[in-house]
Amino acid sequence: MPITLTCANTLPDDSLAGTLIGRAWIPGEPGGPSPIVLRSDGVFDLSERFATLSQLLEHEDPLHAVRSTPGQFLGSIEALLNNSGAAFDASKPYLLAPVDLQVIKAAGVTFAASMIERVIEEQAGGDASKAEAVRATVRAVIGDNLRAVQPGSQQAMALKALLLEKGMWSQYLEVGIGPDAEIFTKAPVLAAVGSGSAIGVHPKSAWNNPEPEVVLAVDSRGRIHGATLGNDVNLRDFEGRSALLLSKAKDNNASCAVGPFIRLFDETFNLDAVRRCVVDLEVQGRDGYRLRGSSSMDQISRDPEDLVRQTLNENHQYPDGFMLFLGTLFAPTEDRDQPGAGFTHKPGDHVRIASPFLGQLHNQVTTSDQARPWTFGLGAMMHNLAARGLLK
């Protein structure tokens, strides 16, 4: 069944107490994507002042800019959500991912538990049937409580020496406890899908999973303005065969979901709240299967500000800002079909990622070749903004 978005299954627990911004496709001749803000009296289009969400977040004070811009009324929040997802009416506004010109970056192996699972993937060579035996061997050597190890510290380097001696060192442990974080590009600019849309898993993958994460909205100067939710869809078999297949494991059509909205930092929400965020995951299959999990940001090995500094610095700039996935504690190990096979997605799975401050992100699984093709790139975006008279 197609996913139906509502205020109850989308908005944060405190509803509209915070400042929620995003993007919607606005119908017309020509129609196009616009930054929006949610208010108690409905949804408002901010494009007359800010052509893109990136431009808004580059403002000296995005929060004040949003509050001081009346915008154009689009309709009720309920109407926007109800028309968003796989079956939308193009003659009415519908929800998009809350990211446009920003580069979509991701930090990998930032939680101890998921770091161990990456080591297991590598040791198992991407074969899910071998994972349980490898899991026992790996944990006998390194345990499963590495949170106390400060990445890059003398303690971490001593652990590295021990693991090298035992033949258990891994590239995943290198970025997990070494001085340098793993930062990679998750998806091309404008390629992310929003809440209600299908997410794509490569049709040749037999071992894959969702990765529920907090995603930071960061401007070109490294200022963190807010956060949203993301699904860093991952192919465990592809990456397990070789880390050099990371781009194929991570970047496929519709394999990056972000949303539903960015919650700006204000009186109700700040970076410390992000540090305390708990992100819940539920996967509901058409076969009656249900998977639940949780990822608590207080278990992260690297602070969000450190990850931002490792992304944006004198060696790398992002003139239009970036969105940064912070990684996940969640790595499903329970069996879905047969003993020892572990978890993997099936077409039709409904994936729900939720956090009290950030709301809920809903997507339904399909294969990347069956998901709606990505056709609206940077060229189309520039032509569209010009045709709508929004380039100033």
Side-chain angles (χ1 to χ4, degrees):
M1 292 290 292
I3 297 169
T4 299
L5 301 183
T6 66
C7 289
N9 72 11
T10 297
L11 296 182
D13 284 3
D14 58 358
S15 189
L16 300 176
T19 308
L20 303 179
I21 62 171
R23 291 170 65 241
W25 186 273
I26 311 302
E29 293 297 335
S34 289
I36 59 170
V37 61
L38 273 59
R39 294 176 175 142
S40 59
D41 50 347
V43 182
F44 292 82
D45 178 357
L46 303 177
S47 62
E48 286 189 2
R49 183 176 180 188
F50 299 104
T52 65
L53 203 57
S54 167
Q55 183 186 10
L56 168 58
L57 293 174
E58 287 296 316
H59 189 274
E60 186 61 35
D61 187 347
L63 178 62
H64 179 265
V66 168
R67 289 177 170 177
S68 62
T69 303
Q72 181 178 354
F73 179 71
L74 290 178
S76 70
I77 299 171
E78 292 85 351
L80 174 69
L81 294 177
N82 188 254
N83 191 46
S84 300
F88 59 85
D89 180 349
S91 69
K92 301 175 183 178
Y94 56 89
L95 193 64
L96 301 171
V99 51
D100 43 41
L101 300 185
Q102 303 97 318
V103 176
I104 304 173
K105 307 294 287 187
V109 202
T110 54
F111 289 80
S114 62
M115 173 171 62
I116 292 170
E117 281 301 309
R118 295 295 174 268
V119 176
I120 290 164
E121 287 170 15
E122 182 181 48
Q123 295 288 324
D127 186 344
S129 65
K130 299 178 181 178
E132 192 55 44
V134 175
R135 189 172 289 114
T137 301
V138 170
R139 284 182 171 162
V141 176
I142 65 177
D144 58 4
N145 185 19
L146 297 180
R147 181 173 174 262
V149 179
Q150 179 67 34
S153 66
Q154 288 186 343
Q155 181 191 18
M157 294 306 97
L159 177 59
K160 176 178 179 179
L162 173 64
L163 294 171
L164 280 170
E165 180 184 331
K166 292 183 175 293
M168 291 299 296
W169 187 249
S170 162
Q171 56 208 334
Y172 296 106
L173 287 163
E174 176 65 47
V175 296
I177 64 175
D180 299 311
E182 179 191 21
I183 306 291
F184 60 92
T185 299
K186 168 61 184 177
V189 172
L190 290 171
V193 300
S195 191
S197 298
I199 48 173
V201 172
H202 196 289
K204 292 185 178 179
S205 175
W207 189 23
N208 48 70
N209 64 268
E211 292 194 351
E213 305 189 22
V214 173
V215 184
L216 298 180
V218 189
D219 71 10
S220 62
R221 287 173 279 179
R223 300 182 302 167
I224 308 170
H225 291 298
T228 185
L229 296 170
N231 188 348
D232 179 13
V233 182
N234 183 48
L235 310 182
R236 300 188 71 177
D237 45 5
F238 280 44
E239 188 177 356
R241 293 205 312 270
S242 170
L244 296 180
L245 292 174
L246 179 67
S247 61
K248 182 163 282 190
K250 294 289 189 178
D251 181 13
N252 296 290
N253 183 39
S255 66
C256 176
V258 181
F261 305 102
I262 293 172
R263 183 165 185 165
L264 293 180
F265 291 162
D266 60 11
E267 303 86 355
T268 69
F269 183 62
N270 56 26
L271 189 57
D272 282 337
V274 169
R275 293 184 175 107
R276 298 190 301 269
C277 268
V278 175
V279 181
D280 294 319
L281 170 77
E282 181 179 65
V283 178
Q284 178 69 56
R286 289 175 175 169
D287 55 358
Y289 176 85
R290 179 170 291 181
L291 172 72
R292 289 190 176 97
S294 184
S295 182
S296 181
M297 284 293 296
D298 66 6
Q299 299 296 306
I300 199 167
S301 301
R302 300 181 190 269
D303 188 74
E305 287 187 311
D306 175 53
L307 292 171
V308 168
R309 287 192 294 268
Q310 294 215 34
T311 306
L312 176 71
N313 47 58
E314 65 275 9
N315 300 308
H316 213 312
Q317 296 78 44
Y318 299 92
D320 298 301
F322 61 98
M323 305 293 287
L324 180 61
F325 281 70
L326 293 179
T328 185
L329 177 66
F330 181 75
T333 59
E334 65 181 69
D335 297 329
R336 181 167 191 174
D337 288 320
Q338 55 190 14
F343 169 84
T344 196
H345 271 309
K346 292 184 179 183
D349 281 354
H350 177 177
V351 182
R352 182 181 69 88
I353 297 172
S355 190
F357 278 116
L358 300 174
Q360 300 182 36
L361 171 65
H362 296 265
N363 300 101
Q364 194 163 45
V365 174
T366 186
T367 52
S368 52
D369 57 337
Q370 295 298 311
R372 184 184 300 275
W374 174 43
T375 59
F376 194 84
L378 283 168
M381 178 79 161
M382 293 303 104
H383 285 296
N384 182 272
L385 293 177
R388 294 161 66 199
L390 297 178
L391 292 181
K392 302 172 183 178

